[in-house]
Every structure is written in structure tokens, then in C-alpha cells.
Amino acid sequence: MTKNNSIAPFVKRKPHNEQAARKKGQRHPDNRPESVFANFPLPGGRGSGRAGTLNNRCVSRELRLGRSLALPNNLYSQTPSEINRARVVFNYATKNGLIDKPQRFGDGFERPSKKAMLLNKAARGPKTFQADELRKLIGAATQPMKAMLLLGVNGGLGNNDIALLPMTALDLKANWMVYPRPKTGIMRRIPLWPETVKALQGWIAKRPVPKDEADAELVFLTARGVSWGRSINDRPITHECRKLIDKLGIIGGRGFYGCRHTFEKVGGEWLCT
């Protein structure tokens, strides 16, 4: 599918500064259906979406794409949200004359049941690492992955937290990290293990020179001196951790974010005892 004959990008697309607009109490203009249709050409017309209409062939392809979300082997935590977003696009198209008649989605486009979601989640296996698996990962990892893994399991830091971690958040003399979570802004004050401090000191001693001044305050930089933060389609921390997991023969669909899940699970169990 290309952008010219598919509405798939409309369902997935999220505005880059949606959070800033929400803070101002406004709805981001690119998050409105009319803006979504206006910014992408549609079949049947040239130029902006206002000039064209969705044809039956296009709708049929998108329904097959949407229905595939509800297949048993395709269930995941955001499947209901994906189906809802697809419905919103078609409903807007109907109300504004972009399609001739309301779209019939059929039973195959229904949201999966809670039972189906839970069974699928169980079939995928645990999201957490066992203690021996973490020891293997940390023992075999080189810098900076060793320090990243320790921060993940020591403080529950996720991929984006690691990528955006500033030098000012670390107090390695006092063994503390004070760092608001970028996703929510919630302040976190985390005591650092001696192993984590040692790994961070070892990494900072060999940290590459930043290529861009905007990245100068970041703790973690790649070998080329740039940030580990990328777009959703290019996740270097995830990829590097996956290489290590595969090399050690650790099975299961877990990645770097499994360190945060492990921290959450073990920490939660400890608080309950």
C-alpha cells in the first residue's frame, strides 16, 4: 500500500506536539479528522484529501487490514484502540461525504473479548526476567548496555528514559538519581546500587564526544556521539538489547523494557509483603 491509496496512515498517525497542545487545553489541529483527511491525498482526486473520495477498493483493503487486528495470533494490548481508531476514520468519512454509504464492518471487526486478550497474553509468556537471566545479561553486556540494563532493573527506567537521561539527574557520590519520567513528568528519586554507580562511572569515563551540542548533557551517546533516542520505527536500545538476548539464548518475547517490568513486579511484590 502506498500513501496515495491507503488510509492506514490516518489510523496510526499521531501529532508530534499533541502533548504540548493538551497542556494548553487545546485540541491539536492535526488530531482532528478533517486535518487528517486534508493532509493526505485520497483515491478519486488529486492534491488534498478534500478533492477525493474513498473508493470501494480502498475501503475493502483497509477493512481487511483492520480485521487482521482481531485475529487470535495478532492480539496485543492496543488492539481495541487500533480498531476504535479505524472506526473513527470511517465514521468521519461517512458524515462528510467521503464515502457513499456507512461502512459495514462485520463481526470480524469487533473488539476482542477480555478473555481472548488474557489468554493471548498468557500464551506470549512472561514480560519479566528471572534473576539468573538478568545476571547473564548484565555479565555479558558491554558498555553502555551494561549501565543501561542496571538502570532498567535498579530504577525501572524504560528505553526513552534511558535515551533522554541527563547528566544533571545523577549524583554518583551520594548514589542517587533524581529524574522526572519524560512520559508523565512524575518526579522520581531513585537510590542507586553500588553496581549501577560503578557501571555508570565506567561508561562516563569513556563516553564519546557529543556530535551535537543539543546532546551534550545526555548520559548515553552512541559510538558516533549522537542520542540513543530515535523515532518509533528505529529503536536502537531495543535492537542492541535484542542482539544480546539472542546471543545468550534467552528465549521468550522480552526485550529491554522487560527490565522495567521486572522492577515493577518485584518491587510491587516487596511492598505487599
Side-chain angles (χ1 to χ4, degrees):
M1 293 183 192
T2 64
K3 190 165 65 176
N4 290 334
N5 64 2
S6 172
I7 62 169
F10 310 156
V11 181
K12 293 280 189 180
R13 187 169 179 264
K14 292 183 179 180
H16 69 279
N17 59 343
E18 180 181 0
Q19 186 175 5
R22 189 163 54 246
K23 286 181 179 178
K24 295 180 181 179
Q26 301 171 349
R27 193 177 181 187
H28 190 279
D30 285 343
N31 206 25
R32 296 196 303 264
E34 58 265 35
S35 295
V36 172
F37 279 98
N39 290 338
F40 291 90
L42 296 174
R46 301 180 64 181
S48 73
R50 300 187 194 88
T53 58
L54 295 171
N55 58 30
N56 292 334
R57 186 178 177 185
C58 175
V59 170
S60 176
R61 273 201 303 267
E62 298 311 322
L63 282 180
R64 288 199 301 271
L65 172 66
R67 284 170 181 160
S68 70
L69 292 171
L71 295 177
N73 63 344
N74 222 17
L75 296 180
Y76 65 108
S77 60
Q78 294 184 358
T79 294
S81 298
E82 298 291 345
I83 290 175
N84 286 344
R85 279 196 284 269
R87 284 180 174 274
V88 166
V89 172
F90 281 110
N91 288 341
Y92 176 83
T94 301
K95 291 178 181 178
N96 290 272
L98 295 173
I99 54 179
D100 297 331
K101 56 185 178 180
Q103 181 60 49
R104 294 181 180 179
F105 296 97
D107 293 339
F109 209 78
E110 293 296 326
R111 292 172 50 146
S113 67
K114 184 177 180 180
K115 178 182 177 181
M117 295 290 291
L118 290 173
L119 288 173
N120 184 264
K121 180 180 179 180
R124 291 201 304 268
K127 293 183 177 181
T128 59
F129 291 106
Q130 296 298 314
D132 61 323
E133 293 174 331
L134 281 172
R135 293 190 188 100
K136 285 175 64 177
L137 283 169
I138 294 169
T142 57
Q143 292 286 22
M145 184 53 64
K146 182 187 291 289
M148 291 178 176
L149 287 168
L150 281 164
L151 282 171
V153 74
N154 181 173
L157 271 66
N159 305 46
N160 196 47
D161 301 335
I162 294 289
L164 300 179
L165 180 65
M167 287 285 194
T168 53
L170 299 176
D171 184 352
L172 299 183
K173 291 183 179 179
N175 292 15
W176 281 93
M177 176 171 65
V178 180
Y179 180 35
R181 191 178 184 199
K183 182 178 179 180
T184 61
I186 296 175
M187 182 59 70
R188 298 173 294 187
R189 190 167 184 265
I190 302 169
L192 299 176
W193 301 335
E195 298 90 339
T196 307
V197 172
K198 183 178 179 181
L200 284 168
Q201 289 172 337
W203 161 247
I204 292 172
K206 60 171 70 173
R207 174 177 171 269
V209 176
K211 186 176 181 180
D212 190 330
E213 280 193 23
D215 300 329
E217 293 300 315
L218 296 179
V219 173
F220 294 104
L221 298 173
T222 68
R224 297 183 178 181
V226 298
S227 168
W228 282 84
R230 296 287 191 277
S231 67
I232 193 66
N233 296 319
D234 182 15
R235 300 168 292 179
I237 295 177
T238 298
H239 297 324
E240 289 302 313
C241 187
R242 171 51 53 190
K243 292 177 186 176
L244 179 61
I245 290 172
D246 292 342
K247 179 181 177 181
L248 296 176
I250 297 175
I251 60 174
R254 295 160 295 177
F256 183 85
Y257 209 77
C259 293
R260 175 173 168 80
H261 287 305
T262 304
F263 170 86
E264 182 180 20
K265 181 176 184 293
V266 175
E269 290 175 350
W270 181 84
L271 287 173
C272 292
T273 57

